[in-house]
Amino acid sequence: MQKIRNIAVIAHVDHGKTTLVDGLLEQSGTFGAHEQHDERAMDSNDIEKERGITILSKNTAITYGDYKINIIDTPGHADFGGEVERVLKMVDGVLVLVDAYEGVMPQTKFVVKKMLALGKKPIVVINKIDKPSAEPDRVVDEMFDLFADMDATDDQQDFPIIYAAARDGMAKLDMDDEDGDFKCIFDAIIESVPEPEGSAQNPLQAQVFTLDYDNYVGKIGISRIFNGTVNKGDNIMLAKADGEMVKGKISKLIGFHGLNRMEIDQAEAGDIVAFAGMETVDVGDTVADPVNPVALDPMHVEEPTLTVVFAVNDSPLAGQEGKHVTSNKLRERLEFEMNTNVAMKLEVVGEGKFKVSGRGELQITVLAENMRREDFEFSISRPEVIVKEIEGVKCEPYEHLVIDVPEDLSGTVIERLGKRKAEMKSMLPMGSGFQRIEFEIPARALIGFRGQFLTDTKGEGVMNHSFLEFRPFSGAVESRSYGALVSMTAGSTLAFSLFGIQDRGVLYIGVQTEVYEGMIVGEHSRTNDLVVNPIKGKAQSNVRSSGADEAIKLIPPRDMSLERALEWIEDDELLEVTPKNVRIRKKFLTESERKRHARKGK
Ligand SMILES: Nc1nc2c(ncn2[C@@H]2O[C@H](COP(=O)(O)OP(=O)(O)OP(=O)(O)O)[C@@H](O)[C@H]2O)c(=O)[nH]1
Ligand SMILES: [Mg+2]
């Protein structure tokens, strides 16, 4: 049998996982000497590249000495955290990265907890030690405290530590050592990650942990083989989570090496490969021996915590910018997504209306962003958290929130969060005038908070949160403090009128922008909505005013990205998403309809 090690790389967002994997690929010689590749090569899809974050976990394999090391890079953003637990079940060891300045963050806690619960033993990598503000000793202490708090076993607490600057391909075992390369990381993987259990002679048992889709071969299940040997063309039995057994055949067997995938003829226990040919395959299924099929433990998929409604765009500008605009198209596309994305759920809630549930706003924004690029046009509603009943008690998701803010602003932020039902858990000085404050807060209260927080801290604050647990419903929380500036008419905006409106709040649109009645053009500086006319030109007059005209100086409009806009809207508002524009609108476009509806609501 081949000598194999299987590892996952886990950490809080941006702590350097994908960069470290680059280094492992590079320094193992897996990239050919002249092979061109991008930075963070594993972040291969467009949105990942643009945003510099990992969205889907991806696997690769490298050769080091006589070992094959399968590596799974995981996303660090909390919205994609559901992937991590599944991935952890597929590997025998983990590299836990932690930023040498930022230290233990919400998602570090989340992934370490999962890892410890699954009985894995980690290698801890203190990354970014090149940062001038790095405090590796403090961060090592934080990691020990974290492991102790989470009841790690003695063996788990006795983890190897590596200090690294992944971006520079540098690593060492002791801060006092001279800078070295990744050899110490490879050696630690080979020495401290257990070799795969199971045997190539046993009946086949492989578990699917990720789905992929290929236009030619259809659904592909990326799987870890726990027992047995599999050949291209083999008949197999697919054991589904609900106990059903479906006969199938492996039409293609795909292996991984570096950034490449290639067809292979055979794979054995211990390895990670992809199977094509099973149209009904789902995450968690066991690919088993056809004669003696034994299912592996089903996989726990994290439940969604947030929903939004995707609907057919019915704005006055509908159908002008997108190619796919009908309810059928929308439904097809969303169903396709659910096919490969197990963390999301879909429910039809009305004519042309689809409730999409996921783990957070980013996950939903990424789906919407992908659809825009595929020429879809649709509307989305304000995100709502999923409330559920647990033992007769109405419960809602809570999040663990960590913020870093300049000391003089901490008072403002604490007060704001207090109004949003956050409970402060700790406050620590972080050096360079910053404070780290930790809270527990209903997820509901976080919707729309980020924009406020960035304004309050003049963009200097950093906030991070991740799912904690469901807790009893906390009652009403404060939401957006300001009203909207709503257009009263349709047309193209003019500088003269925008100039008049900009004193009333913050504009979201500039000149020569198509607007319609009920479209939101900005945020009012007061709590109520204000109806405005953004297309009014200057009245022509024969009487010349004394002195020169007041020069029209427009403040640049605030750029409302899809994410920002999604966080900003209230229940009676919608986002209109097209390939070219993200518009914010009232659900009811005329003022009289809104008034009638508001009365009914009361
Ligand atoms: N100073 C410094 N920056 C680093 C180092 N390693 C990575 N970075 C930078 O940190 C940022 C995040 O790196 P990634 O590798 O994308 O982090 P990640 O953990 O994969 O992020 P997610 O997948 O989104 O969770 C990038 O800008 C990297 O260039 C390092 O050793 N030192
Ligand atoms: Mg990454």
Side-chain angles (χ1 to χ4, degrees), residues 298-408:
M299 260 188 245
H300 165 77
V301 175
E302 293 277 337
E303 277 174 79
T305 53
L306 198 78
T307 66
V308 303
V309 173
F310 280 62
V312 170
N313 183 16
D314 64 355
S315 101
L317 297 177
Q320 300 186 5
E321 293 167 357
K323 235 196 272 166
H324 311 302
V325 296
T326 62
S327 171
N328 274 345
K329 280 283 177 193
L330 197 56
R331 181 189 183 133
E332 248 173 50
R333 176 61 182 84
L334 291 171
E335 279 172 351
F336 175 79
E337 186 71 21
M338 305 306 136
N339 251 335
T340 50
N341 192 340
V342 284
M344 292 183 114
K345 293 210 163 61
L346 178 68
E347 194 189 328
V348 182
V349 287
E351 183 55 33
K353 285 203 165 97
F354 308 93
K355 193 189 238 182
V356 173
S357 315
R359 293 284 292 178
E361 286 147 62
L362 183 62
Q363 191 177 44
I364 286 162
T365 320
V366 166
L367 171 60
E369 190 58 48
N370 274 322
M371 289 171 63
R372 279 182 85 184
R373 286 163 199 231
E374 297 160 22
D375 272 331
F376 279 85
E377 195 176 302
F378 50 91
S379 76
I380 28 184
S381 68
R382 176 179 212 256
E384 267 175 41
V385 303
I386 292 174
V387 174
K388 66 175 187 184
E389 210 159 286
I390 302 174
E391 289 166 6
V393 182
K394 187 176 166 192
C395 291
E396 63 174 329
Y398 265 68
E399 300 267 319
H400 171 213
L401 169 72
V402 174
I403 58 165
D404 290 332
V405 281
E407 248 159 61
D408 53 324

Side-chain angles (χ1 to χ4, degrees), residues 17-19 43 53-54 73-76:
K17 297 172 288 298
T18 308
T19 307
D43 284 349
I53 57 168
T54 304
D73 182 25
T74 66

Side-chain angles (χ1 to χ4, degrees), residues 92-108:
D92 309 299
V94 288
L95 295 179
V96 186
L97 267 65
V98 58
D99 181 300
Y101 165 71
E102 284 192 359
V104 169
M105 293 298 272
Q107 199 66 5
T108 319

Side-chain angles (χ1 to χ4, degrees), residues 14 19 96 104 125 129 139 159 182 263 265 273 332 360 374 396 403 421 474 477 506 547 555:
D14 262 1
T19 307
V96 186
V104 169
V125 180
I129 57 169
V139 173
F159 48 75
F182 280 8
E263 275 197 53
D265 295 324
V273 295
E332 248 173 50
E374 297 160 22
E396 63 174 329
I403 58 165
K421 297 237 157 79
S474 65
V477 296
V506 180
I555 303 165

